Amino acid sequence: MTRDESSEARLPIRLLGRSGLRVSRLALGTMTFGQPGWGCDAAAADAIMDRFVAAGGNLIDTADYYSGGESERFVGRYLADRNLREQLVIASKFSFGSGGVGANATGNGRKSMMAALEGSLRRLGTDYIDLYILHLWDGVTPAEEVMRGLDDLVRSGEVRYVALSDVTGWYAARAQTLAEWRGYERLCAVQLEYSLVERGLELEFPTLCAELGMGILAWAPLCNGLLSGKHRSPGDGGLAAGRVETVDKAGRFDRLTARNWQIVAALEQVARATDRSMAQVAINWVANRPGVASVLLGATKVAQIEDTLRSLTFTISDEHRAALDSVSVNPRLFPYRFLADAQRRVTPHLS
C-alpha cells in the first residue's frame, strides 16, 4: 500500500470493552467546538466532522460542560442536517454542569445526573445517547448511587451504554464490581488522559480494564498540543499560541517541564526518521498501548484532522518505540516496583 493510498484507509472498528458497541479506533473529541479563544466556530466544526465521518470515524465525544453547552448544540445540528444520528455513536458526559444553579447543578448525584441528561438530550436534539459518561468523580457520591442511577437511565431507554471518566482505579473497580453483583448495566469504558507525557494510568488501568471488561478511551494524546509539533522549548523558539499556552497560564497542568521538553525532542527525532508528523507518531503510540480501544482527536481546523486521521496507517519500529518509551517512562513506585520483582520469585514456574 502506498503512502497516498494508506492515508485514505478507513478507520478500523473494534468493540468497546466487553460490550457489543462498535467504535472507531480514532474518535472525535469536540471540546474545541464553540470554545472562545482557542476553539472553532460552527462552520469549521461541520467541516471537521465531515472529514472524520468520511474517514470511517463513528464515535463523537462531547459533554454538557463544553463551551457552556455549545459543543452539544453543534453536534446536534450536524446530526440533524446530515441525517446521521443512527450511523454515529454519540457520547456525552455529566458532572461539571452546563450553567445550572443550586447545590445540585453539578456533581455525580442522581438529581444532577438526571437533570444533566435532560439538558444534553435537548441540546443534541435526540431522544437517546449511545454512551453516557460520568465526567469526573466528585469525591463524595457513593459508587452505589452512581451505578444504580446509570442503570436506571439505560432501563429508561435514554442511554444505551455507560462509562466513567477521570476516576481512580479503586473507584472504577468498585463501580464495575457493584454492577456485576447487583445486575446493573456494566461499564464498557473508562475515559482517561493518556499520552507520552501523561502515563499515570499505566499503573493500574490496563490490567484493571482487561480483568473487568472495559476499554480505555484516551483523551489529550497530544497533551493539549504540546506534542503536536508546533511548540518548542524556550531555547528553541518557545510556545505557539494555543491550548497548551492557555492551560499553562491558568496553572491547571504542569506541562512545561524539562522532562516534557525531552519527550518533545525525542518525538521530533522519531517523526523525522519515519517521515511522519509528530502528532501522528504521538497518537499512534497511544493507540497501540495495552487496553486502549479508541483515541480522541481534537481539532480546530480541517488540516489538523486530516493529519491526525492518518495516525494508524503506519507502524512504529521497535527501535523507535523503545526510544519513546524510555524518554517518557514513569518512576517505578511502590507497590508496583516491589510486586514486579516479588511476583517473579513466587511464581517462577509461570514465567
Side-chain angles (χ1 to χ4, degrees), residues 307-322:
D307 179 62
T308 54
L309 282 170
R310 300 187 181 100
S311 298
L312 304 183
T313 61
F314 63 99
T315 300
I316 300 175
S317 70
D318 291 343
E319 177 186 359
H320 289 144
R321 187 173 297 279

Side-chain angles (χ1 to χ4, degrees), residues 93-117:
K93 301 183 284 292
F94 75 97
S95 290
F96 287 100
S98 57
V101 297
N104 291 291
T106 59
N108 303 157
R110 181 187 299 267
K111 182 176 177 63
S112 173
M113 180 191 301
M114 296 185 72
L117 177 61

Side-chain angles (χ1 to χ4, degrees), residues 6-222:
S6 66
S7 69
E8 296 303 320
R10 302 276 291 180
L11 291 177
I13 300 291
R14 64 171 46 171
L15 294 175
L16 185 56
R18 204 170 294 155
S19 78
L21 185 61
R22 304 164 193 180
V23 299
S24 49
R25 284 192 65 199
L26 297 179
L28 182 62
T30 66
M31 188 175 185
T32 59
F33 291 3
Q35 190 70 243
W38 47 266
C40 63
D41 61 18
D46 284 354
I48 290 167
M49 286 187 279
D50 277 339
R51 186 64 192 92
F52 175 73
V53 173
N58 76 340
L59 175 56
I60 296 180
D61 176 89
T62 184
D64 61 355
Y65 175 67
Y66 293 165
S67 311
E70 277 300 287
S71 174
E72 288 183 324
R73 294 186 187 95
F74 280 19
V75 173
R77 287 194 294 267
Y78 178 83
L79 296 175
D81 291 345
R82 305 300 198 274
N83 194 27
L84 289 173
R85 180 62 191 92
E86 295 306 315
Q87 179 179 329
L88 300 180
V89 176
I90 304 302
S92 193
K93 301 183 284 292
F94 75 97
S95 290
F96 287 100
S98 57
V101 297
N104 291 291
T106 59
N108 303 157
R110 181 187 299 267
K111 182 176 177 63
S112 173
M113 180 191 301
M114 296 185 72
L117 177 61
E118 291 172 3
S120 289
L121 292 174
R122 183 174 62 253
R123 287 185 292 272
L124 286 164
T126 184
D127 56 4
Y128 73 97
I129 290 175
D130 297 290
L131 180 62
Y132 201 45
I133 307 172
L134 178 146
H135 203 158
L136 173 87
W137 179 42
D138 63 10
V140 293
T141 306
E144 294 89 338
E145 181 176 344
V146 168
M147 295 310 297
R148 176 57 191 270
L150 291 174
D151 183 66
D152 287 343
L153 298 184
V154 172
R155 292 174 186 270
S156 75
E158 294 178 312
V159 168
R160 300 291 190 257
Y161 296 88
V162 295
L164 303 178
S165 175
D166 302 336
V167 296
T168 59
W170 74 262
Y171 189 87
R174 177 165 176 78
Q176 186 75 318
T177 301
L178 281 167
E180 292 174 344
W181 285 359
R182 296 187 177 181
Y184 299 156
E185 179 68 22
R186 298 181 184 184
L187 302 162
C188 66
V190 287
Q191 188 176 113
L192 300 163
E193 182 179 1
Y194 199 10
S195 71
L196 281 163
V197 166
E198 180 49 75
R199 297 178 59 178
L201 68 79
E202 292 177 351
L203 293 173
E204 291 194 343
F205 278 96
T207 305
L208 183 156
C209 289
E211 180 69 21
L212 296 182
M214 295 178 281
I216 295 172
L217 301 175
W219 64 266
L222 300 182

Side-chain angles (χ1 to χ4, degrees), residues 233-278:
S233 66
D236 294 326
L239 292 177
R243 183 150 191 248
V244 70
E245 179 188 43
T246 301
V247 299
D248 177 61
K249 289 180 178 178
R252 292 172 54 195
F253 299 98
D254 188 17
R255 301 298 201 202
L256 309 181
T257 65
R259 168 190 176 268
N260 292 352
W261 288 125
Q262 290 177 340
I263 294 171
V264 170
L267 177 62
E268 183 176 17
Q269 289 182 349
V270 172
R272 286 179 175 176
T274 55
D275 192 27
R276 296 286 172 173
S277 72
M278 290 172 63

